[in-house]
Structure formats: structure tokens, C-alpha cells
Amino acid sequence: DIQMTQSPSSLSASVGDRVTITCRASQAISNYLAWFQQKPGKAPESLIYAASSLQSGVPSKFSGSGSGTDFTLTISSLQPEDFATYYCQQSYSIPYTFGQGTKLENK
Amino acid sequence: QLQLQESGPGLVKPSETLSLTCTVSGGSISSSSYYWGWIRQPPGKGLEWIGSIYYSGSTYYNPSLKSRVTISVDTSKNQFSLKLSSVTAADTAVYYCARHEIGWFDPWGQGTLVTVSS
């Protein structure tokens, strides 16, 4: 299985900050990488697919980059609704696997 | 707008079989571009992909669960289903269904909590 490792596991930031979350794959996955946002008690919502493509309806303050083994999710100008847990996920090979999550908290 | 809704018992006894159904509305499960999948999340933990099915009935499963999982589709009802046999407390989780293309999961159902307990 491909292991997905996110860093940091938790992150404290303030409204208006720009934050970056990193996801590393245990082997090269080309651009088969997605990012999700999950709020407490809710289902994950897709933000980014194919490493850098913005899902329809997702604000442009979210951006993704990377290829191979190293990927980043950047959120510019944090708003209160952005405090949530973020997951990366690879779809390069079966089984699809997720990172352990990064909890973004309001400082 | 495509919507998915999970349904099924919220409590299952150890060693029994967990059965859930996902009903798709606002679109056809027979769309040629998409697969339909199940993902679970134990309380307070991360996400685990269980398996997926194409409208034709073609399936693929997570090897870690493959011996206990069966996913089926009913195109006449626009539904697909999950069966997980010989459950234990470790199978307690919120179970989500989702549509996907090349492994990109979107949208997701709201999820349903299944507790394994006697």
C-alpha cells in the first residue's frame, strides 16, 4: 500500500493567515492526489483533484501543487469557515489511501 | 445536483453482517464515467477506502477487507450496497458512500454511524 503522510498533524493559525499543508507519498504517484476538507460531524468535501485542479464551486483561495511524492495544499487568507481537518488521498494505485489528516485550528 | 444517501441499521452484533445501501438521486448510477464507492471513518480517526463498483457490476476492494466485503449494484433502484461480514468492534465507524472518477471522490453522502456491539 502507498502510505500518505501529512505534516503537520495540527496547525494553529489566525483569520487572514496563509497556511500550507504538506502531503508526502511513500512512492511516486504522479499527480494522482486529492485534497478534502472535513468539518466536525460532516462528510469530507472535495477541494482539489489531480494535485492542482480546483473542484467546481471551491473558492480560489484553495490551491494545490506538487507531483511525484511531495504535494502541498495552500489556503490563502484564512476565514472562520476554513478551520477544519484536511486530508490528502492518492488514487494512483489500489488500495486508495488517505493521509492521517491535518487539523487546522483557530489561534 | 447529485446526492447520495446511506441507509441501514445503526447497530450490528459482533460476528454478524453489516448491510448498508446508498441511494443516488439527481443523476443515474449507470453513468459510464463513474464508479461508486464506500469509505469508512472510525470515531475520531482517519478515512479508509473499502471498495468500489461500476454500474456493470465490476468491483474492486481494499485487500485488507476483501475477504469480508461484497459490494453490489441495483441500477433499477439507482442504488448500490455494502455487505461486511464477521464484524467486530473494530468495524465501528461512520460509513460514507461516494461517487468517483479515477479515484476522485465527489460528492459524498452524509454518512451513517454503524456501531458493532452486543
Side-chain angles (χ1 to χ4, degrees):
Chain A
D1 298 6
I2 296 176
Q3 305 302 316
M4 306 301 292
T5 303
Q6 291 181 229
S7 60
S9 294
S10 63
L11 177 58
S12 185
S14 301
V15 171
D17 285 353
R18 175 187 176 96
V19 298
T20 297
I21 299 168
T22 298
C23 179
R24 175 165 289 176
S26 60
Q27 65 184 74
I29 59 169
S30 185
N31 69 335
Y32 288 85
L33 192 283
W35 289 98
F36 298 90
Q37 177 193 69
Q38 187 177 34
K39 295 180 180 179
K42 300 294 187 181
E45 292 188 356
S46 177
L47 299 172
I48 302 281
Y49 65 96
S52 60
S53 296
L54 202 63
Q55 193 65 252
S56 176
V58 173
S60 58
K61 63 180 173 180
F62 293 95
S63 62
S65 66
S67 183
T69 60
D70 294 320
F71 303 86
T72 60
L73 171 70
T74 299
I75 312 169
S76 63
S77 189
L78 278 174
Q79 296 302 305
E81 63 270 20
D82 300 329
F83 294 100
T85 299
Y86 293 84
Y87 292 94
C88 62
Q89 175 242 328
Q90 66 81 19
S91 63
Y92 181 80
S93 68
I94 301 300
Y96 302 135
T97 49
F98 294 82
Q100 82 280 13
T102 294
K103 187 173 184 179
L104 178 55
E105 298 176 303
N106 198 342
K107 186 183 293 183
Chain B
Q1 180 183 0
L2 191 79
Q3 292 186 316
L4 295 87
Q5 177 70 58
E6 305 87 352
S7 59
L11 181 64
V12 180
K13 290 183 168 56
S15 80
E16 295 190 345
T17 296
L18 177 160
S19 296
L20 296 173
T21 295
C22 182
T23 300
V24 178
S25 59
S28 173
I29 203 169
S30 300
S31 172
S32 60
S33 301
Y34 299 106
Y35 278 76
W36 306 88
W38 289 96
I39 304 104
R40 70 180 182 178
Q41 185 173 36
K45 296 187 178 180
L47 298 157
E48 179 181 34
W49 171 72
I50 299 169
S52 297
I53 191 165
Y54 194 55
Y55 77 93
S56 64
S58 174
T59 55
Y60 54 112
Y61 302 131
N62 191 323
S64 69
L65 297 168
K66 186 175 183 178
S67 63
R68 299 194 291 130
V69 173
T70 302
I71 298 176
S72 58
V73 64
D74 186 337
T75 55
S76 67
K77 295 182 178 179
N78 230 29
Q79 294 176 334
F80 62 107
S81 298
L82 169 70
K83 291 188 183 300
L84 181 65
S85 64
S86 305
V87 297
T88 69
D91 295 309
T92 293
V94 175
Y95 286 76
Y96 298 100
C97 58
R99 183 186 71 174
H100 71 94
E101 180 181 24
I102 321 177
W104 313 133
F105 293 98
D106 181 71
W108 297 53
Q110 66 184 28
T112 187
L113 174 63
V114 179
T115 301
V116 178
S117 175
S118 56

